[in-house]
Amino acid sequence: MSIIEVADLCKAYGGRPAVDGVSFSVEEGEIFGILGPNGAGKTTTVECVEGLRVPGSGTIRVAGLDPVADHDQVTRLLGAQLQESELQAKLTVQEALELYSSFYEKPADWRPLADRLGLTEKLGGRFGKLSGGQKQRLFIALALVGGPRVVVLDELTTGLDPRARRDTWQLIEDIRASGVTVLLVTHFMEEAQRLCDRIAVIDKGRIAALDTPAGLISRSASPTVISFTPSHPLDTGELAALPAAVSVATDEKDGRITVNGTDDTVNAVISLLARRHITAHQLRVADATLDDAFLDLTGATA
């Protein structure tokens, strides 16, 4: 069952389209990702879903409600962490949680929420003294304190170090496990590939592709790369003749061989090595990634 439905959404600024005919639906209980280059229209799209911007045309429904016409009702079931968020530097974590709780008739109990997000020891700490990861966890708590059915997270892990980013990923998975639908805007390919059930790739205000991470990767034109150092000399002409082999190269310094091809090429290389009684030292097989698919779809970096 779709909890978010977006149909032919258009939004322009100064006559220039930022979003041009975007359509997608989000199923209840899934993590739905939105990827795209900077300026592609990602944030404008989710701000229309949140009711923060009025669409130029098209329709949006969140649990059957119009985010603009039914804004008060939508704010009771949708929580949001914005791309850029700040609080007063002297506001404590507890004061922020209590303040946001007061906005709702039936808020979630912020105490277990703070505990689950690792904020209990920081309740007396002032916002200005929190680390980047602690601030992000607080904004997640503030987005969840109303007990929403849907939470929108926009560039949640930007600026975090790798450890804090991975901790935040676990929090997002926990949020989904609690029954909350997540609409996640990100430009981190690894993040999208790990977390999202489905992904919409937006480019120049339009959806370039919508599929599962595996489905998007399968569209990539990037080859599978097999590399190894043979225990004995190997005729690279034999490798070049293998099924679907695109290219073969040998590093003159260490003799390492790299073969570009497909999954069929991988099996053929391994069979050839076995027939020749050659051991493949430091064998590596690298498949196409979401980065490769993203570049193929948009021609841009994340």
Side-chain angles (χ1 to χ4, degrees), residues 85-92 96 99-100 127-128 138-139 142:
S85 302
E86 284 292 331
L87 295 173
Q88 290 182 333
K90 293 185 178 181
L91 195 69
T92 69
L99 174 64
Y100 274 64
F127 178 80
L138 175 58
F139 287 129
L142 297 179

Side-chain angles (χ1 to χ4, degrees), residues 146-219:
R149 292 173 59 189
V150 179
V151 64
V152 180
L153 305 174
D154 191 353
E155 302 289 3
L156 180 66
T157 60
T158 298
L160 299 185
D161 61 56
R163 169 56 61 189
R165 183 174 299 127
R166 289 181 181 274
D167 289 345
T168 303
W169 292 350
Q170 184 60 57
L171 292 176
I172 295 171
E173 291 174 333
D174 291 344
I175 290 168
R176 193 263 288 277
S178 70
V180 178
T181 301
V182 179
L183 181 58
L184 177 69
V185 180
T186 181
H187 65 264
F188 289 113
M189 300 299 116
E190 184 183 2
E191 180 169 288
Q193 187 168 346
R194 168 173 167 169
L195 295 175
C196 297
D197 299 299
R198 292 186 299 138
I199 297 170
V201 179
I202 297 182
D203 186 34
K204 299 175 183 177
R206 296 175 177 267
I207 289 187
L210 198 165
D211 208 334
T212 63
L216 293 175
I217 291 170
S218 69
R219 305 185 192 189

Side-chain angles (χ1 to χ4, degrees), residues 23-38:
S23 298
F24 62 87
S25 62
V26 180
E27 303 304 309
E28 191 157 15
E30 77 173 333
I31 299 177
F32 187 93
I34 295 181
L35 285 176
N38 291 333

Side-chain angles (χ1 to χ4, degrees), residues 71-79 104-105 146-149:
H71 188 69
D72 288 347
Q73 293 170 271
V74 170
T75 57
R76 296 189 186 101
L77 59 86
L78 184 147
Y104 301 94
E105 292 180 4
R149 292 173 59 189

Side-chain angles (χ1 to χ4, degrees), residues 77-293:
L77 59 86
L78 184 147
Q81 174 268 327
L82 305 180
Q83 187 178 62
E84 296 183 6
S85 302
E86 284 292 331
L87 295 173
Q88 290 182 333
K90 293 185 178 181
L91 195 69
T92 69
V93 170
Q94 181 169 337
E95 288 170 342
L97 290 167
E98 290 176 340
L99 174 64
Y100 274 64
S101 293
S102 70
F103 299 155
Y104 301 94
E105 292 180 4
K106 297 180 180 179
D109 187 345
W110 61 261
R111 293 167 185 81
L113 183 60
D115 187 57
R116 186 173 60 152
L117 292 169
L119 293 170
T120 300
E121 294 183 358
K122 292 293 181 179
L123 291 177
R126 299 188 185 280
F127 178 80
K129 299 295 184 180
L130 300 180
S131 68
Q134 290 164 348
K135 288 179 179 179
Q136 293 294 54
R137 289 200 295 274
L138 175 58
F139 287 129
I140 292 174
L142 297 179
L144 294 173
V145 77
R149 292 173 59 189
V150 179
V151 64
V152 180
L153 305 174
D154 191 353
E155 302 289 3
L156 180 66
T157 60
T158 298
L160 299 185
D161 61 56
R163 169 56 61 189
R165 183 174 299 127
R166 289 181 181 274
D167 289 345
T168 303
W169 292 350
Q170 184 60 57
L171 292 176
I172 295 171
E173 291 174 333
D174 291 344
I175 290 168
R176 193 263 288 277
S178 70
V180 178
T181 301
V182 179
L183 181 58
L184 177 69
V185 180
T186 181
H187 65 264
F188 289 113
M189 300 299 116
E190 184 183 2
E191 180 169 288
Q193 187 168 346
R194 168 173 167 169
L195 295 175
C196 297
D197 299 299
R198 292 186 299 138
I199 297 170
V201 179
I202 297 182
D203 186 34
K204 299 175 183 177
R206 296 175 177 267
I207 289 187
L210 198 165
D211 208 334
T212 63
L216 293 175
I217 291 170
S218 69
R219 305 185 192 189
S220 174
S222 298
T224 298
V225 180
I226 310 106
S227 63
F228 61 94
T229 302
S231 58
H232 304 293
L234 178 63
D235 181 3
T236 55
E238 288 187 275
L239 292 170
L242 293 176
V246 176
S247 64
V248 180
T250 302
D251 191 315
E252 295 181 359
K253 294 181 180 180
D254 59 11
R256 188 167 182 81
I257 296 174
T258 299
V259 183
N260 290 328
T262 67
D263 288 344
D264 290 338
T265 313
V266 176
N267 295 328
V269 168
I270 292 173
S271 296
L272 175 63
L273 294 175
R275 291 197 302 272
R276 298 290 182 268
H277 303 288
I278 294 174
T279 300
H281 295 294
Q282 296 181 320
L283 175 66
R284 299 286 185 273
V285 178
D287 291 323
T289 66
L290 195 56
D291 286 274
D292 298 318

